[in-house]
Amino acid sequence: MRMAVVFVMLLVMLTAATVISGSPVTLTLERAFPTNHGVEMNQLRARDLLRHRRILQSSNGVVDFDVHGTFDPFQVGLYFTKVQLGTPPVEFYVQIDTGSDVLWVSCSSCTGCPQTSGLQIELNFFDTGRSSTSSLISCSDRRCNSGIQSSDATCSSQNNQCSYTFQYGDGSGTSGYYVSDTMHLDTIFEGSVATNSSAPVVFGCSNQQSGDLTKSDRAVDGIFGFGQQEMSVISQLSSQGIAPRVFSHCLRGDSTGGGVLVLGEIVEPNIVYTPLVPSQPHYNLNLQSISVNGQALQIDASVFATSSNNRGTIVDSGTTLAYLAEEAYDPFVNAITATIPQSVRTVVSRGNQCFLITSSVADIFPQVSLNFAGGASMVLRPQDYLIQQSSVSSAAVWCIGFQKIQGQGVTILGDLVLKDKIIVYDLAGQRIGWANYDCSLSVNVSAATGTGRSEYVNAGEISGSTSLHDIHKHPKTVFLSLFLALICCFVFL
């Protein structure tokens, strides 16, 4: 897992998607928030920074997952899903991470794995001996060889067992071995649900964890990687002809939350596409320029280009904030500040530019455009690059949500930017598309199989059927960050 989670634990609640050939399937995504755990922005940023160090590292169905929870800058939530593995099936809560490839869960023999979770979820442990369909993956298995090529797997001549070791920049890590077992899926077919469908997948069984992964306050069962390497579940399902090699999400940014996550292509007339940078393990794009109020900033395009020295522009739903390459950060912040009225009071906290606002930010702050190769622009509203903090007297405190990684040339587009948009990861076409969208509305999802069939998927409900998404929202508490907890203290200093 080369780009796994650092500070926002992406937790995923996969309403198990069952796929039959030629039919759509579903997943469920949730986001939970802490209600009383606030930390400073520098801590939240530090967690992102640690996570970013991990960067070192024809289809027949549509899989749709309900999305619950909401993006809240005050209480930084997580998207999570629930996956059912083994026979009989056991449910596991896993983080969703588009910056890594591997699905792994804690094993019954795990050393250092937390036994309880402060997220108000029941932790489970995968036991190969209790699943009648479980089998180990040997070093000679073709799938293991694929994992070795992408650095997702290792092999020991001593026991011929395909294994993995992921070490993260925050000192935490996990190691374990690969197993093959059944993933249970709920299939949507013409508005109804077909049960008892399943697919064999290879996933990691973690038998050792360390660092933050051992802490029970925000413990989950594992991580669900949505990367594009062969070890990812989306690649495995695609190679079996079970799901298309494309997935999409639309995450609601309002207080109601929810959204849609599908293994399939959301079809919408306003979607624009830009090509993926070829031969990259992550979702790298060619960002060419940034415009503020239609004026391009004076930043050399090479600042955003992907290169061997860990530079580039990456789309990552596993990151809460957004990060600009160091050379682009100051021009961006200066351009934003220069456009606002002089009557708006500005304050700086630990390098973060903040503003005291008494009216709507839409009336004060400019529109920003991220301009990519192929002429595709991502239009950002003020709410897509600002974070609302607290209030001081009658003024709301808004801060620049984009961050700078000192000494780093990487640009990362996280949830701050991705929310309230349809995002399509077209792995078959090697492109990513997007469109601003009200994610509370239904979306049209295509299996792209040549059949012409498509399904209408709503946030939390399939059109014409509610049987698939009878899910209750739980106030799952996540020990993640509240930005600028001390903002009220420094504003008047």
Side-chain angles (χ1 to χ4, degrees):
M1 165 170 156
R2 293 172 302 277
M3 221 172 112
V5 200
V6 218
F7 77 29
V8 324
M9 294 237 19
L10 269 197
L11 242 251
V12 205
M13 177 166 173
L14 198 239
T15 324
T18 338
V19 183
I20 335 181
S21 179
S23 51
V25 179
T26 37
L27 279 204
T28 303
L29 207 61
E30 290 198 7
R31 183 172 267 206
F33 313 96
T35 56
N36 56 0
H37 299 293
V39 296
E40 297 183 41
M41 166 131 33
N42 65 322
Q43 290 177 268
L44 184 127
R45 182 179 177 279
R47 289 175 181 171
D48 261 346
L49 177 59
L50 291 171
R51 180 181 189 285
H52 299 156
R53 293 177 188 168
R54 306 174 191 178
I55 295 176
L56 297 173
Q57 317 185 26
S58 57
S59 313
N60 292 326
V62 173
V63 183
D64 162 59
F65 305 87
D66 290 345
V67 180
H68 295 271
T70 180
F71 180 89
D72 189 325
F74 276 104
Q75 298 169 316
V76 186
L78 296 178
Y79 291 104
F80 62 95
T81 194
K82 182 173 61 179
V83 60
Q84 298 185 45
L85 301 170
T87 306
V90 178
E91 295 181 341
F92 298 93
Y93 289 92
V94 286
Q95 302 172 344
I96 184 169
D97 181 20
T98 60
S100 66
D101 303 315
V102 175
L103 166 63
W104 65 263
V105 297
S106 297
C107 269
S108 56
S109 58
C110 186
T111 300
C113 291
Q115 303 294 311
T116 60
S117 175
L119 305 179
Q120 300 178 22
I121 58 175
E122 181 180 353
L123 299 182
N124 284 316
F125 297 87
F126 186 80
D127 189 340
T128 56
R130 294 189 175 184
S131 174
S132 62
T133 49
S134 177
S135 62
L136 301 180
I137 300 297
S138 69
C139 289
S140 58
D141 193 294
R142 181 198 64 79
R143 295 166 294 185
C144 185
N145 292 328
S146 298
I148 292 173
Q149 294 297 316
S150 60
S151 301
D152 289 323
T154 58
C155 246
S156 170
S157 58
Q158 296 178 344
N159 57 14
N160 195 34
Q161 174 63 59
C162 188
S163 57
Y164 65 89
T165 298
F166 301 138
Q167 191 68 35
Y168 309 127
D170 58 359
S172 67
T174 177
S175 59
Y177 54 92
Y178 284 106
V179 299
S180 175
D181 210 334
T182 300
M183 175 181 282
H184 299 268
L185 308 164
D186 286 332
T187 302
I188 308 166
F189 184 70
E190 297 181 354
S192 62
V193 180
T195 59
N196 300 322
S197 293
S198 60
V201 296
V202 173
F203 58 92
C205 201
S206 173
N207 57 19
Q208 186 168 4
Q209 294 174 22
S210 61
D212 280 353
L213 290 175
T214 67
K215 296 179 180 178
S216 60
D217 56 354
R218 57 178 186 266
V220 289
D221 292 315
I223 290 173
F224 195 165
F226 269 76
Q228 55 183 322
Q229 302 300 313
E230 288 192 44
M231 293 295 283
S232 71
V233 169
I234 186 172
S235 294
Q236 293 184 56
L237 295 179
S238 173
S239 67
Q240 297 176 53
I242 290 174
R245 193 163 164 75
V246 54
F247 69 97
S248 316
H249 59 67
C250 191
L251 309 176
R252 294 180 64 175
D254 59 22
S255 58
T256 303
V260 173
L261 170 66
V262 295
L263 301 191
E265 179 183 359
I266 295 179
V267 181
E268 210 280 329
N270 296 322
I271 293 179
V272 295
Y273 286 90
T274 190
L276 284 164
V277 178
S279 304
Q280 296 298 314
H282 310 294
Y283 296 116
N284 285 68
L285 302 180
N286 283 304
L287 176 60
Q288 297 181 330
S289 66
I290 299 176
S291 300
V292 175
N293 266 351
Q295 298 297 313
L297 304 183
Q298 296 302 306
I299 304 171
D300 193 296
S302 63
V303 168
F304 306 114
T306 301
S307 66
S308 58
N309 58 346
N310 207 26
R311 299 181 70 94
T313 302
I314 298 170
V315 176
D316 177 24
S317 65
T319 294
T320 298
L321 303 176
Y323 291 77
L324 278 178
E326 186 175 9
E327 302 92 327
Y329 182 78
D330 287 339
F332 175 77
V333 173
N334 292 340
I336 297 295
T337 305
T339 64
I340 63 175
Q342 293 184 349
S343 58
V344 174
R345 183 178 174 184
T346 61
V347 291
V348 177
S349 170
R350 307 187 184 216
N352 297 301
Q353 183 69 61
C354 301
F355 311 88
L356 301 184
I357 307 300
T358 56
S359 58
S360 169
V361 293
D363 298 331
I364 298 174
F365 289 89
Q367 177 177 286
V368 170
S369 294
L370 307 180
N371 307 309
F372 294 87
S377 291
M378 181 179 289
V379 178
L380 306 184
R381 308 162 303 163
Q383 298 93 321
D384 298 329
Y385 61 83
L386 296 173
I387 299 289
Q388 183 177 3
Q389 301 302 318
S390 54
S391 297
V392 177
S393 298
S394 59
V397 179
W398 288 79
C399 301
I400 298 288
F402 277 72
Q403 300 291 292
K404 173 172 61 175
I405 305 178
Q406 201 70 34
Q408 296 290 319
V410 66
T411 294
I412 301 175
L413 306 181
D415 288 339
L416 175 66
V417 171
L418 302 180
K419 62 178 170 45
D420 298 320
K421 295 177 182 64
I422 292 170
I423 308 290
V424 178
Y425 303 76
D426 181 2
L427 307 188
Q430 283 295 287
R431 61 180 187 166
I432 287 184
W434 58 82
N436 288 346
Y437 197 78
D438 180 352
C439 297
S440 67
L441 301 178
S442 296
V443 293
N444 187 10
V445 183
S446 171
T449 58
T451 64
R453 192 189 67 254
S454 62
E455 296 286 339
Y456 286 91
V457 181
N458 201 354
E461 180 179 31
I462 298 299
S463 178
S465 171
T466 58
S467 58
L468 184 64
H469 303 291
D470 185 17
I471 298 171
H472 303 284
K473 294 185 179 180
H474 301 282
K476 306 189 188 308
T477 306
V478 179
F479 187 70
L480 284 170
S481 325
L482 171 59
F483 299 77
L484 294 176
L486 302 180
I487 187 73
C488 295
C489 300
F490 73 78
V491 165
F492 293 109
L493 292 181

